[in-house]
């Protein structure tokens, strides 16, 4: 008897599995003090929420995302059509990935920025994410449930639908997006990190946004910094050695807010 799991179920649960595995890897790297953007002491003292609460919040959001994903796959009936078992061309996959990345970036930039500029939304919703003044990997999806639904769940659904990808392709796209999001919140600047080489929007870029001086800048997530650059909300940074050891992301010296 053969046992098989549908692409829809894999597309729903693989990114969740990837989130915790990848976060666990960074949790082990967290002892590398020389590569931390904040000290362990600052992480414990400055953050306004316990790690247990963060884990519970992330699990709740992932539950909502899984429910929405199952409903989306069911309603759309997106089984990839009669050629679902055939391999799509590399160019088709690349086009779908690029379109999905642009859609997700665009949606999240404008929703994220609006949540900062609308005092009610920031105070009652988005400020929950900023309780993590010192970000860490498994806190990447720690948000208010409404924000999780608006930014991540709806943004993901739009990128899936408008890019035309199949559930099978979505397994890889959302796993990649999950890895990138976790990396952006890991609080580490590790040598040779491919995300730091390929993307200007990275852990240091997003760390600036989590600091008091950067809350009106660096809204872009999770892939590129295009909208920040176009709309004047881009704050460049420099990586400097921190007193007492480790590293720090600071606004570039030639930057004028």
């Amino acid at each position: 008897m053969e046992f098989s799991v549908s692409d829809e179920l894999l597309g729903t649960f693989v990114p969740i599995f990837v989130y915790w595995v990848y976060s666990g890897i960074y949790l082990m790297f967290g002892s590398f003090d020389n590569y931390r953007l904040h000290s362990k002491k600052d992480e414990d003292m400055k953050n306004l929420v316990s790690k247990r609460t963060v884990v519970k919040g992330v699990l709740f959001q992932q539950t909502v995302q899984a429910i929405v994903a199952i409903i989306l796959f069911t309603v759309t009936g997106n089984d990839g059509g009669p050629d679902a078992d055939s391999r799509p061309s590399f160019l088709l996959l690349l086009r779908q990935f690029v379109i999905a990345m642009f859609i997700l970036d665009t949606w999240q930039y404008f929703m994220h920025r609006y949540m900062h500029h609308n005092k009610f939304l920031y105070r009652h919703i988005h400020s929950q994410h900023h309780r993590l003044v010192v970000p860490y990997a498994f806190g990447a999806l720690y948000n208010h449930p409404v924000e999780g639904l608006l930014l991540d769940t709806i943004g993901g659904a739009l990128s899936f639908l408008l890019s035309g990808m199949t559930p099978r392709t979505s397994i890889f796209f959302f796993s990649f997006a999950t890895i990138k999001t976790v990396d952006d919140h890991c609080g580490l600047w590790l040598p040779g990190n491919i995300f730091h080489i390929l993307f200007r929007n990275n852990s240091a870029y997003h760390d600036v946004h989590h600091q008091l001086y950067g809350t009106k800048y660096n809204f872009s997530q999770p892939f590129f910094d295009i909208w920040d650059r176009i709309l004047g909300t881009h704050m460049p940074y420099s990586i400097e050695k921190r007193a007492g050891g480790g590293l720090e992301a600071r606004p570039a010296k030639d930057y004028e807010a």
Side-chain angles (χ1 to χ4, degrees):
M1 181 177 66
E2 292 186 3
F3 175 78
S4 61
V5 180
S6 69
D7 292 339
E8 289 82 358
L9 282 178
L10 290 174
T12 299
F13 292 106
V14 167
I16 296 175
F17 176 76
V18 167
Y19 181 92
W20 291 106
V21 171
Y22 198 62
S23 295
I25 294 173
Y26 272 126
L27 191 61
M28 292 186 293
F29 286 159
S31 60
F32 295 178
D33 292 337
N34 289 339
Y35 302 113
R36 292 179 62 98
L37 295 174
H38 297 269
S39 68
K40 188 68 172 64
K41 181 180 179 181
D42 281 346
E43 179 182 309
D44 295 334
M45 293 184 60
K46 292 184 178 181
N47 286 339
L48 306 176
V49 60
S50 70
K51 288 183 169 64
R52 168 178 279 205
T53 300
V54 168
V55 170
K56 289 167 60 178
V58 171
L59 288 174
F60 179 78
Q61 178 168 329
Q62 289 176 328
T63 300
V64 173
Q65 287 179 336
I67 293 171
V68 172
I70 292 171
I71 293 173
L72 181 65
F73 286 136
T74 302
V75 171
T76 60
N78 191 346
D79 59 2
D83 299 323
D85 292 330
S86 63
R87 291 185 177 181
S89 68
F90 174 77
L91 288 178
L92 175 60
L93 289 176
L94 180 61
R95 185 184 70 185
Q96 290 176 338
F97 260 64
V98 171
I99 291 173
M101 291 167 78
F102 176 76
I103 292 169
L104 189 58
D105 267 15
T106 300
W107 177 264
Q108 293 211 352
Y109 174 85
F110 286 100
M111 289 299 298
H112 185 193
R113 182 174 178 177
Y114 183 65
M115 285 190 174
H116 271 270
H117 286 276
N118 184 295
K119 293 182 179 180
F120 177 86
L121 291 178
Y122 184 82
R123 181 180 301 121
H124 296 285
I125 295 177
H126 187 57
S127 62
Q128 178 168 320
H129 182 67
H130 280 270
R131 292 176 186 172
L132 293 177
V133 179
V134 178
Y136 48 78
F138 66 85
L141 290 183
Y142 176 67
N143 299 310
H144 188 284
V146 173
E147 177 177 352
L149 179 65
L150 290 176
L151 259 73
D152 299 307
T153 307
I154 293 180
L158 289 173
S159 63
F160 170 75
L161 292 171
L162 298 179
S163 67
M165 67 175 60
T166 64
R168 182 168 301 178
T169 302
S170 76
I171 300 170
F172 300 97
F173 175 74
F174 289 117
S175 294
F176 175 60
T178 296
I179 289 172
K180 180 64 172 60
T181 300
V182 169
D183 194 88
D184 290 347
H185 290 80
C186 71
L188 298 169
W189 190 260
L190 296 173
N193 187 327
I194 191 170
F195 289 118
H196 298 168
I197 297 172
L198 298 178
F199 296 94
R200 293 179 178 176
N201 188 347
N202 49 45
S203 58
Y205 188 84
H206 193 65
D207 182 78
V208 167
H209 174 73
H210 272 257
Q211 308 314 307
L212 185 60
Y213 56 76
T215 55
K216 299 297 184 183
Y217 299 90
N218 295 7
F219 297 112
S220 293
Q221 54 186 38
F223 299 111
F224 308 109
D225 62 356
I226 297 172
W227 286 115
D228 276 320
R229 289 180 177 273
I230 292 175
L231 297 176
T233 54
H234 175 262
M235 179 181 280
Y237 64 86
S238 62
I239 302 294
E240 302 177 15
K241 289 187 177 181
R242 187 177 65 246
L247 303 172
E248 184 176 10
R250 297 179 180 175
K253 294 180 179 180
D254 58 349
Y255 177 75
E256 295 183 3

